[in-house]
Amino acid sequence: MIDLKKLEVWFITGSQHLYGPETLAKVAEHSQEITEYFDGSDKIPVKVVYKPVVKTPEEIYETIAAANQDKNCIGIITWMHTFSPSKMWIRGLNILQKPMLHLHSQFNRDIPWDSIDMDFMNLNQSAHGDREFGFMVSRMRKNRKVVVGFWQDEKVINDIDIWCRVAAGWNDWQGAKFVRFGDNMRYVAVTDGDKVEAELKFGFSVNTHAVGDLVAVIDSIGESQINVLIKGYEQAYHLADSLKEDGQNRKSLFEAAKIELGIKKFLEDGGYKGFTDTFEDLHGMVQLPGIAAQRLMEQGYGFAGEGDWKTAALVRACKVMGAGLKGGNAFMEDYTYHFDPEDQMVLGSHMLEIDSSLADGKANCEIHPLGIGGKADPVRLVFNVAGGNAVNASLIDMGNRFRLLLNEVKAVEPKNDLPKLPVARVLWKPLPDMKTALAAWIYAGGAHHTVYSQNLTTDYFRDFAKIADIELVIINGKTSLDTFEKELQWSEIYYR
């Protein structure tokens, strides 16, 4: 399971010696109170750690250097209680390797009209102290998130929560490893990309292992382990009659469980956070991993089919960002369209591998022919996905840059049973409307594979793109094609 509580965000307050020990003691007291409030909030998923007030270039540098080196620190929150001359920050900001949130707040919510004096003014200078700091960060072209408002406001807490989750997702990518079983699906472009540039840009590595390496691990799994996992299947899902103990396809369920255990062991032994496979490279495997991929995603691993390592990595990042939130994040594909003029929508699915954390109720465990791959019929989980707000996100390699493309959608409850479609499925209406959203997606070069998220909003991906320093393209209820196409053209100029 993904545990965010072991991670830390450091709260760093800036000031200077000019104000004397009494004022600085108050600054420290107030900073500790704010830190404790954030750390005690049940909405912020990580530890918020107070750091002593920094008053000199040396203290700033040493604190930021320590943040860089601390493996549990995933980012820093900066706040200028008083005026902190920002030339003091240059050396520290130059070495900063962690995400930064700039909190533009002040300790007091209201002006104390009857008692305000110059002592109060000298102590509470965030209004212009943060602007001095903000100038230097902008002057140095440093990406950061700026959160404005009183520190106890619900919106401020929500913004910090989102950023902390995004910082955790980014931190999870640093040094992460993803394994490709086999290579990319032959001749397919969008699922491929520059893995060297990705490691330079994002911090994770992608390497291929022959399917035979995986098969050797699968074949090492003992029968007792398999039987225990099958018992878990029987409790968690509605098993098709043919997969029950005396059913004609019981052996296929045995093989599916063996594959799941084998892949999981391979991932655990290699320290991998996700994987891809392709039905064009299954040599030595009995069936294409269906239920295995679905269940491993539900456990937090990233996955995408057909060698799509970018989507597998993005699934994993979304799993981390959404840890503990209601709803799921899953590998998805726009599969087919419903072009009824009165009720246009997309049917999202894949051959087998949609994350079972999206299931609306108890999923069915079934076996059906696949038609491609040339292997035995695979076991898979079949279910519908509930309606509600969601997003589809795609990470694509544009040659000179990576682009993160996002479409806000509204999932709808299925109106039909789909009795002959034996896959997990979700129906959604893309915003602003079917025609505009689909055209915009294609103009932007969006992939057919996405991450479908029920619990992350556009704000999460905006923060993520800012931390990663990559292009973000958004399709939502405000999108018009004329403006959208111009924005894409402006981006081309910017990135050249």
Side-chain angles (χ1 to χ4, degrees):
M1 297 297 291
I2 297 168
D3 180 16
L4 301 184
K5 263 301 176 188
K6 64 183 180 181
L7 305 175
E8 297 177 358
V9 167
W10 288 8
F11 192 87
I12 303 172
T13 305
S15 188
Q16 59 178 325
H17 282 296
L18 176 68
Y19 303 110
E22 184 177 342
T23 296
L24 289 174
K26 272 293 181 186
V27 169
E29 178 186 326
H30 292 170
S31 298
Q32 285 178 291
E33 186 173 336
I34 293 174
T35 303
E36 289 169 3
Y37 185 84
F38 288 163
D39 190 52
S41 171
D42 57 5
K43 294 183 178 179
I44 296 178
V46 303
K47 295 177 182 176
V48 183
V49 178
Y50 168 79
K51 290 296 171 180
V53 177
V54 291
K55 306 167 292 298
T56 66
E58 293 75 21
E59 291 176 355
I60 292 168
Y61 182 88
E62 290 167 5
T63 302
I64 290 178
N68 286 339
Q69 293 300 314
D70 193 298
K71 66 179 183 179
N72 292 324
C73 176
I74 62 170
I76 63 171
I77 298 175
T78 56
W79 175 52
M80 306 303 118
H81 192 320
T82 61
F83 196 81
S84 178
S86 64
K87 286 169 67 176
M88 296 196 306
W89 287 84
I90 292 174
R91 190 161 166 253
L93 290 174
N94 262 330
I95 65 164
L96 178 62
Q97 298 170 356
K98 302 288 177 78
M100 177 170 61
L101 182 149
H102 181 190
L103 177 64
H104 185 40
S105 185
Q106 61 187 28
F107 183 72
N108 56 297
R109 192 193 72 174
D110 303 324
I111 294 174
W113 304 106
D114 295 334
S115 62
I116 185 169
D117 56 18
M118 285 311 300
D119 287 339
F120 181 93
M121 296 283 274
N122 283 333
L123 175 61
N124 297 284
Q125 299 188 51
S126 299
H128 58 286
D130 278 326
R131 294 185 185 209
E132 166 75 1
F133 177 75
F135 161 75
M136 186 53 67
V137 182
S138 295
R139 174 69 176 78
M140 296 176 70
R141 275 48 173 196
K142 290 281 186 181
N143 285 349
R144 78 285 201 191
K145 178 171 185 173
V146 178
V147 175
V148 179
F150 182 57
W151 50 277
Q152 293 182 358
D153 286 351
E154 184 177 345
K155 180 64 167 63
V156 168
I157 297 297
N158 183 64
D159 287 346
I160 293 173
D161 166 44
I162 290 173
W163 178 83
C164 287
R165 289 180 172 278
V166 172
W170 176 254
N171 179 74
D172 186 75
W173 265 10
Q174 307 314 300
K177 298 192 298 181
F178 295 90
V179 59
R180 250 181 168 186
F181 295 121
D183 198 10
N184 194 56
M185 185 177 173
R186 297 178 195 122
Y187 302 112
V188 176
V190 77
T191 54
D192 218 335
D194 189 336
K195 296 189 288 294
V196 174
E197 186 61 28
E199 188 164 354
L200 288 168
K201 191 71 176 172
F202 301 129
F204 63 75
S205 64
V206 182
N207 287 288
T208 296
H209 274 263
V211 176
D213 295 340
L214 174 60
V215 170
V217 178
I218 292 172
D219 288 343
S220 73
I221 301 299
E223 186 173 337
S224 61
Q225 292 175 269
I226 298 169
N227 288 331
V228 169
L229 183 55
I230 288 176
K231 290 291 184 187
Y233 290 172
E234 290 171 339
Q235 293 175 1
Y237 314 116
H238 298 295
L239 255 64
D241 289 342
S242 68
L243 296 177
K244 292 179 179 177
E245 192 161 359
D246 296 323
Q248 62 182 5
N249 296 126
R250 183 70 170 189
K251 190 175 188 306
S252 294
L253 187 68
F254 185 92
E255 292 293 342
K258 185 177 180 181
I259 290 171
E260 179 184 334
L261 291 165
I263 295 175
K264 187 172 184 179
K265 178 173 171 53
F266 194 104
L267 297 175
E268 289 177 341
D269 290 349
Y272 295 104
K273 293 181 176 179
F275 68 104
T276 73
D277 60 19
T278 172
F279 54 79
E280 288 186 321
D281 194 350
L282 298 172
H283 186 71
M285 295 191 70
V286 174
Q287 57 182 265
L288 182 66
I291 190 173
Q294 292 175 294
R295 284 173 48 84
L296 288 168
M297 268 191 287
E298 187 171 10
Q299 294 167 43
Y301 289 101
F303 172 81
E306 298 144 30
D308 186 357
W309 53 270
K310 296 187 297 299
T311 302
L314 191 58
V315 168
R316 169 64 187 190
C318 291
K319 291 285 186 184
V320 175
M321 290 190 283
L325 298 178
K326 184 179 179 181
N329 293 276
F331 170 55
M332 186 60 69
E333 182 171 272
D334 293 55
Y335 222 97
T336 194
Y337 298 141
H338 187 60
F339 272 134
D340 177 355
E342 302 301 319
D343 195 26
Q344 296 188 351
M345 67 185 81
V346 178
L347 174 60
S349 185
H350 204 255
M351 299 178 300
L352 298 170
E353 313 101 337
I354 302 299
D355 186 344
S356 47
S357 66
L358 299 181
D360 185 17
K362 198 171 184 178
N364 296 325
C365 184
E366 302 177 5
I367 181 170
H368 299 276
L370 188 59
I372 54 179
K375 294 294 179 179
D377 299 343
V379 176
R380 82 287 301 273
L381 298 175
V382 178
F383 53 86
N384 290 327
V385 177
N389 295 327
V391 296
N392 272 310
S394 174
L395 181 62
I396 47 184
D397 185 345
M398 296 299 292
N400 65 337
R401 66 192 185 277
F402 288 98
R403 170 179 287 169
L404 183 57
L405 177 60
L406 190 76
N407 188 192
E408 297 177 359
V409 304
K410 177 76 172 180
V412 297
E413 299 287 347
K415 298 177 182 177
N416 305 89
D417 291 336
L418 303 170
K420 295 186 178 181
L421 186 65
V423 291
R425 55 279 180 119
V426 56
L427 293 162
W428 68 76
K429 295 177 181 289
L431 299 180
D433 57 75
M434 189 88 158
K435 183 177 180 179
T436 302
L438 270 51
W441 191 271
I442 290 175
Y443 279 127
H448 57 286
H449 288 168
T450 63
V451 179
Y452 179 85
S453 178
Q454 295 173 315
N455 55 25
L456 303 179
T457 63
T458 298
D459 287 340
Y460 288 84
F461 293 93
R462 184 179 288 111
D463 285 358
F464 195 88
K466 193 173 291 185
I467 290 174
D469 193 24
I470 60 173
E471 180 187 17
L472 175 66
V473 177
I474 299 170
I475 305 168
N476 60 19
K478 299 178 181 178
T479 299
S480 73
L481 279 180
D482 286 344
T483 303
F484 187 83
E485 288 187 73
K486 289 176 184 176
E487 289 174 351
L488 293 178
Q489 292 170 342
W490 297 336
S491 289
E492 287 300 324
I493 296 170
Y494 175 83
Y495 283 98
R496 285 177 184 168

